[in-house]
Amino acid sequence: AMSDLDDSRRRIAEAADVERARIERDLHDGAQQRLVALRIRLGIAEDLLKTNPGAAVKEVHELGFEAERALEELRSLAHGVYPSLLTDRGLLDALRAVADQAPLPIHISAAGVRRHPIEIESAVYFTCVEALQNALKHAGGGSGVWVELRETGHTIHFEVRDDGRGFNPHKHDGRGLRNMHDRIEAIGGHLRVDSKRGYGTRVSGSVRLP
Protein backbone atom coordinates (compact mmCIF):
# COMPACT_ATOMS: atom_id res chain seq x y z
CA ALA A 1 0.00 0.00 0.00
CA MET A 2 2.91 2.31 0.78
CA SER A 3 4.43 1.81 -2.68
CA ASP A 4 0.97 2.42 -4.25
CA LEU A 5 0.78 5.70 -2.35
CA ASP A 6 4.30 6.61 -3.51
CA ASP A 7 3.27 5.82 -7.12
CA SER A 8 0.15 7.99 -6.76
CA ARG A 9 2.19 10.87 -5.37
CA ARG A 10 4.86 10.49 -8.05
CA ARG A 11 2.27 10.56 -10.86
CA ILE A 12 0.61 13.63 -9.32
CA ALA A 13 4.00 15.36 -8.99
CA GLU A 14 4.82 14.58 -12.65
CA ALA A 15 1.42 15.86 -13.80
CA ALA A 16 1.92 18.98 -11.67
CA ASP A 17 5.36 19.58 -13.25
CA VAL A 18 3.89 19.37 -16.75
CA GLU A 19 1.06 21.71 -15.72
CA ARG A 20 3.54 24.14 -14.11
CA ALA A 21 5.60 24.21 -17.31
CA ARG A 22 2.42 24.95 -19.32
CA ILE A 23 1.43 27.79 -16.96
CA GLU A 24 4.94 29.23 -17.06
CA ARG A 25 4.92 29.14 -20.89
CA ASP A 26 1.43 30.65 -21.09
CA LEU A 27 2.41 33.40 -18.65
CA HIS A 28 5.59 34.15 -20.58
CA ASP A 29 4.05 34.10 -24.06
CA GLY A 30 0.76 35.72 -23.04
CA ALA A 31 0.23 38.06 -20.11
CA GLN A 32 3.93 38.80 -19.53
CA GLN A 33 4.53 39.83 -23.17
CA ARG A 34 1.36 41.93 -23.08
CA LEU A 35 2.48 43.73 -19.92
CA VAL A 36 5.96 44.39 -21.37
CA ALA A 37 4.35 45.90 -24.49
CA LEU A 38 2.03 47.90 -22.25
CA ARG A 39 4.99 49.32 -20.34
CA ILE A 40 6.69 50.42 -23.60
CA ARG A 41 3.49 51.96 -24.96
CA LEU A 42 2.94 53.85 -21.68
CA GLY A 43 6.38 55.46 -22.21
CA ILE A 44 5.36 56.45 -25.76
CA ALA A 45 2.04 57.88 -24.50
CA GLU A 46 3.96 59.92 -21.91
CA ASP A 47 6.13 61.47 -24.63
CA LEU A 48 3.07 62.09 -26.83
CA LEU A 49 1.40 64.02 -24.00
CA LYS A 50 4.05 66.74 -24.46
CA THR A 51 3.88 66.89 -28.26
CA ASN A 52 0.43 65.69 -29.31
CA PRO A 53 -2.11 65.49 -26.43
CA GLY A 54 -4.95 64.37 -28.74
CA ALA A 55 -3.00 61.32 -29.97
CA ALA A 56 -1.87 60.61 -26.38
CA VAL A 57 -5.49 60.44 -25.15
CA LYS A 58 -6.30 57.96 -27.96
CA GLU A 59 -3.23 55.87 -27.07
CA VAL A 60 -4.11 55.81 -23.34
CA HIS A 61 -7.65 54.72 -24.22
CA GLU A 62 -6.26 51.79 -26.25
CA LEU A 63 -3.92 50.85 -23.41
CA GLY A 64 -7.01 50.35 -21.23
CA PHE A 65 -8.14 47.60 -23.61
CA GLU A 66 -4.66 46.05 -23.56
CA ALA A 67 -4.70 45.98 -19.74
CA GLU A 68 -8.16 44.33 -19.84
CA ARG A 69 -6.82 41.65 -22.18
CA ALA A 70 -3.86 40.93 -19.92
CA LEU A 71 -6.31 40.63 -16.99
CA GLU A 72 -8.50 38.23 -18.95
CA GLU A 73 -5.49 36.02 -19.74
CA LEU A 74 -4.43 35.96 -16.11
CA ARG A 75 -7.99 35.10 -15.04
CA SER A 76 -8.27 32.21 -17.47
CA LEU A 77 -4.86 30.93 -16.32
CA ALA A 78 -5.92 31.13 -12.67
CA HIS A 79 -9.15 29.38 -13.62
CA GLY A 80 -7.10 26.52 -15.06
CA VAL A 81 -5.42 26.06 -11.68
CA TYR A 82 -8.40 26.33 -9.32
CA PRO A 83 -11.86 27.65 -10.17
CA SER A 84 -12.32 30.97 -8.37
CA LEU A 85 -15.61 29.74 -6.85
CA LEU A 86 -13.74 26.89 -5.17
CA THR A 87 -11.20 29.17 -3.52
CA ASP A 88 -13.78 31.89 -2.67
CA ARG A 89 -16.84 29.90 -1.62
CA GLY A 90 -15.80 26.27 -1.23
CA LEU A 91 -16.62 22.81 -2.46
CA LEU A 92 -20.41 22.90 -2.46
CA ASP A 93 -20.84 26.14 -4.42
CA ALA A 94 -18.15 25.13 -6.92
CA LEU A 95 -19.90 21.79 -7.59
CA ARG A 96 -23.30 23.52 -7.86
CA ALA A 97 -21.86 25.80 -10.55
CA VAL A 98 -20.72 22.72 -12.52
CA ALA A 99 -24.16 21.13 -12.05
CA ASP A 100 -25.92 24.25 -13.37
CA GLN A 101 -24.16 23.87 -16.74
CA ALA A 102 -24.71 20.12 -17.17
CA PRO A 103 -26.94 18.71 -19.93
CA LEU A 104 -28.47 16.16 -17.51
CA PRO A 105 -30.07 16.96 -14.09
CA ILE A 106 -27.47 16.81 -11.31
CA HIS A 107 -28.92 16.60 -7.80
CA ILE A 108 -26.56 17.77 -5.05
CA SER A 109 -27.11 17.18 -1.35
CA ALA A 110 -24.74 18.14 1.43
CA ALA A 111 -24.65 17.81 5.20
CA GLY A 112 -22.27 19.54 7.60
CA VAL A 113 -19.63 20.41 4.97
CA ARG A 114 -17.28 23.17 6.14
CA ARG A 115 -14.28 24.91 4.53
CA HIS A 116 -10.96 23.05 4.39
CA PRO A 117 -7.41 23.58 3.09
CA ILE A 118 -7.32 23.97 -0.70
CA GLU A 119 -5.44 20.67 -1.24
CA ILE A 120 -8.39 18.79 0.31
CA GLU A 121 -11.13 20.83 -1.35
CA SER A 122 -9.45 20.69 -4.76
CA ALA A 123 -8.82 16.91 -4.59
CA VAL A 124 -12.48 16.22 -3.73
CA TYR A 125 -13.70 18.82 -6.25
CA PHE A 126 -11.67 17.56 -9.22
CA THR A 127 -12.50 13.92 -8.36
CA CYS A 128 -16.23 14.70 -8.26
CA VAL A 129 -15.99 16.69 -11.51
CA GLU A 130 -14.16 13.80 -13.21
CA ALA A 131 -16.85 11.39 -11.95
CA LEU A 132 -19.58 13.76 -13.17
CA GLN A 133 -17.98 14.04 -16.61
CA ASN A 134 -17.71 10.25 -16.82
CA ALA A 135 -21.36 9.91 -15.78
CA LEU A 136 -22.48 12.41 -18.43
CA LYS A 137 -20.31 10.73 -21.07
CA HIS A 138 -21.17 7.08 -20.32
CA ALA A 139 -24.53 7.25 -18.55
CA GLY A 140 -26.43 6.94 -21.88
CA GLY A 141 -30.15 6.84 -21.14
CA GLY A 142 -29.69 7.75 -17.47
CA SER A 143 -32.19 10.16 -15.91
CA GLY A 144 -29.72 12.11 -13.78
CA VAL A 145 -26.68 12.13 -11.51
CA TRP A 146 -26.71 12.36 -7.70
CA VAL A 147 -23.87 13.95 -5.73
CA GLU A 148 -23.71 13.60 -1.95
CA LEU A 149 -21.26 15.32 0.37
CA ARG A 150 -21.25 14.84 4.09
CA GLU A 151 -18.88 15.57 6.90
CA THR A 152 -18.88 13.46 10.04
CA GLY A 153 -16.39 13.91 12.85
CA HIS A 154 -13.03 14.17 11.15
CA THR A 155 -13.96 12.71 7.77
CA ILE A 156 -15.48 14.09 4.59
CA HIS A 157 -17.44 11.55 2.50
CA PHE A 158 -18.47 12.06 -1.10
CA GLU A 159 -20.42 10.05 -3.63
CA VAL A 160 -21.33 10.54 -7.30
CA ARG A 161 -23.79 8.04 -8.74
CA ASP A 162 -25.87 7.71 -11.89
CA ASP A 163 -28.55 5.33 -13.15
CA GLY A 164 -27.04 4.99 -16.62
CA ARG A 165 -25.80 1.92 -18.44
CA GLY A 166 -22.66 1.35 -16.32
CA PHE A 167 -19.37 -0.24 -17.39
CA ASN A 168 -16.84 -2.80 -16.26
CA PRO A 169 -14.21 -0.91 -14.19
CA HIS A 170 -11.69 -3.78 -14.50
CA LYS A 171 -11.77 -3.69 -18.28
CA HIS A 172 -11.91 0.09 -18.40
CA ASP A 173 -8.53 1.13 -17.02
CA GLY A 174 -8.85 4.73 -18.14
CA ARG A 175 -6.63 7.61 -17.20
CA GLY A 176 -9.59 9.42 -15.64
CA LEU A 177 -10.13 6.61 -13.13
CA ARG A 178 -6.46 6.56 -12.23
CA ASN A 179 -6.41 10.35 -11.81
CA MET A 180 -9.32 10.12 -9.37
CA HIS A 181 -7.57 7.42 -7.32
CA ASP A 182 -4.28 9.36 -7.39
CA ARG A 183 -5.82 12.64 -6.23
CA ILE A 184 -7.66 11.10 -3.29
CA GLU A 185 -4.92 8.67 -2.23
CA ALA A 186 -2.31 11.45 -2.32
CA ILE A 187 -4.20 13.24 0.50
CA GLY A 188 -4.57 9.99 2.45
CA GLY A 189 -8.13 9.20 1.37
CA HIS A 190 -9.85 6.18 -0.17
CA LEU A 191 -11.80 5.94 -3.41
CA ARG A 192 -14.06 3.21 -4.69
CA VAL A 193 -15.65 2.82 -8.12
CA ASP A 194 -18.59 0.41 -8.40
CA SER A 195 -20.19 -0.14 -11.75
CA LYS A 196 -22.02 -2.91 -13.49
CA ARG A 197 -23.40 -2.98 -17.00
CA GLY A 198 -27.06 -1.96 -16.83
CA TYR A 199 -26.90 -0.78 -13.19
CA GLY A 200 -25.22 2.61 -13.36
CA THR A 201 -22.03 3.73 -11.66
CA ARG A 202 -21.16 4.85 -8.14
CA VAL A 203 -17.92 6.66 -7.27
CA SER A 204 -17.52 7.02 -3.52
CA GLY A 205 -14.69 8.16 -1.32
CA SER A 206 -13.68 9.52 2.04
CA VAL A 207 -10.86 11.71 3.29
CA ARG A 208 -9.70 12.08 6.89
CA LEU A 209 -9.49 15.76 7.83
CA PRO A 210 -6.44 17.20 9.55
Side-chain angles (χ1 to χ4, degrees), residues 122-137:
S122 66
V124 175
Y125 170 82
F126 285 116
T127 300
C128 286
V129 168
E130 183 88 49
L132 281 170
Q133 284 168 344
N134 283 347
L136 296 171
K137 204 159 57 186

Side-chain angles (χ1 to χ4, degrees), residues 1 4 10 26 36 45 48 53 60 83 87-88 94-95 110 131-132 136 181 183 205 210:
D4 284 350
R10 195 195 70 248
D26 287 356
V36 168
L48 269 178
V60 167
T87 43
D88 295 346
L95 285 172
L132 281 170
L136 296 171
H181 279 284
R183 277 188 192 281

Side-chain angles (χ1 to χ4, degrees), residues 81-194:
V81 183
Y82 296 122
S84 54
L85 252 179
L86 182 64
T87 43
D88 295 346
R89 310 236 303 264
L91 195 49
L92 189 54
D93 282 354
L95 285 172
R96 280 189 179 133
V98 173
D100 287 344
Q101 293 163 11
L104 205 64
I106 293 177
H107 314 278
I108 298 181
S109 64
V113 180
R114 297 165 303 159
R115 293 300 313 261
H116 297 292
I118 190 65
E119 62 273 15
I120 289 175
E121 289 190 338
S122 66
V124 175
Y125 170 82
F126 285 116
T127 300
C128 286
V129 168
E130 183 88 49
L132 281 170
Q133 284 168 344
N134 283 347
L136 296 171
K137 204 159 57 186
H138 304 301
S143 64
V145 186
W146 289 261
V147 181
E148 272 178 49
L149 297 171
R150 68 177 200 284
E151 203 174 304
T152 53
H154 291 292
T155 308
I156 186 163
H157 305 270
F158 60 92
E159 181 181 290
V160 178
R161 68 179 193 279
D162 65 67
D163 56 357
R165 59 174 173 247
F167 68 99
N168 183 339
H170 301 295
K171 287 186 180 165
H172 182 95
D173 188 27
R175 199 163 149 209
L177 286 180
R178 202 180 68 194
N179 282 349
M180 291 195 286
H181 279 284
D182 283 354
R183 277 188 192 281
I184 296 302
E185 284 162 14
I187 55 165
H190 300 282
L191 186 82
R192 191 176 157 163
V193 180
D194 297 301

Side-chain angles (χ1 to χ4, degrees), residues 25-77:
R25 192 181 60 240
D26 287 356
L27 270 173
H28 180 270
D29 297 349
Q32 192 176 324
Q33 297 288 20
R34 246 182 228 295
L35 290 169
V36 168
L38 199 58
R39 182 72 199 88
I40 293 165
R41 286 180 63 183
L42 271 169
I44 294 167
E46 202 178 341
D47 292 341
L48 269 178
L49 274 171
K50 297 165 196 158
T51 57
N52 188 342
V57 167
K58 194 164 171 267
E59 180 71 4
V60 167
H61 189 67
E62 275 176 27
L63 291 179
F65 287 116
E66 282 300 309
E68 278 294 321
R69 263 191 221 114
L71 265 174
E72 265 166 36
E73 272 181 26
L74 286 170
R75 275 192 206 111
S76 69
L77 263 174

